[in-house]
Amino acid sequence: GNPTGIDAAVHRFDEITRSLRQTEGRAKEIEQAALRLAAGGAEQATATEQVRASIESVASSVEETASATEQMT
């Protein structure tokens, strides 16, 4: 028959509960993705710093070589 006000409220409550469970699952997925991004960002920052140090080392070597070459001429 026709749903009563209580039946409609129970149905709506079930829909809200299901929606909240889905939202909770999505929130956990987002949290995990954010953690992966943060870890990846930290790794990238470390790699960038290593590359910067390598470039500075090469630049220093080039300057030393240029200086030695000037002294030879």
Side-chain angles (χ1 to χ4, degrees), residues 48-64:
T48 299
E49 196 56 42
Q50 290 172 347
V51 168
R52 181 175 291 128
S54 295
I55 290 172
E56 288 175 0
S57 176
V58 168
S60 177
S61 295
V62 168
E63 288 176 12
E64 289 174 10

Side-chain angles (χ1 to χ4, degrees), residues 33-45:
L35 290 173
R36 287 192 303 270
L37 284 173
E43 290 175 12
Q44 184 176 4

Side-chain angles (χ1 to χ4, degrees), residues 10-71:
V10 168
H11 179 71
R12 184 69 183 133
F13 178 79
D14 288 343
E15 289 176 348
I16 292 170
T17 301
R18 186 172 28 257
S19 177
L20 287 173
R21 286 188 180 130
Q22 290 174 348
T23 301
E24 177 187 18
R26 288 185 187 128
K28 286 180 182 178
E29 290 173 4
I30 291 168
E31 178 185 17
Q32 290 170 355
L35 290 173
R36 287 192 303 270
L37 284 173
E43 290 175 12
Q44 184 176 4
T46 298
T48 299
E49 196 56 42
Q50 290 172 347
V51 168
R52 181 175 291 128
S54 295
I55 290 172
E56 288 175 0
S57 176
V58 168
S60 177
S61 295
V62 168
E63 288 176 12
E64 289 174 10
T65 302
S67 178
T69 302
E70 287 177 4
Q71 290 176 4

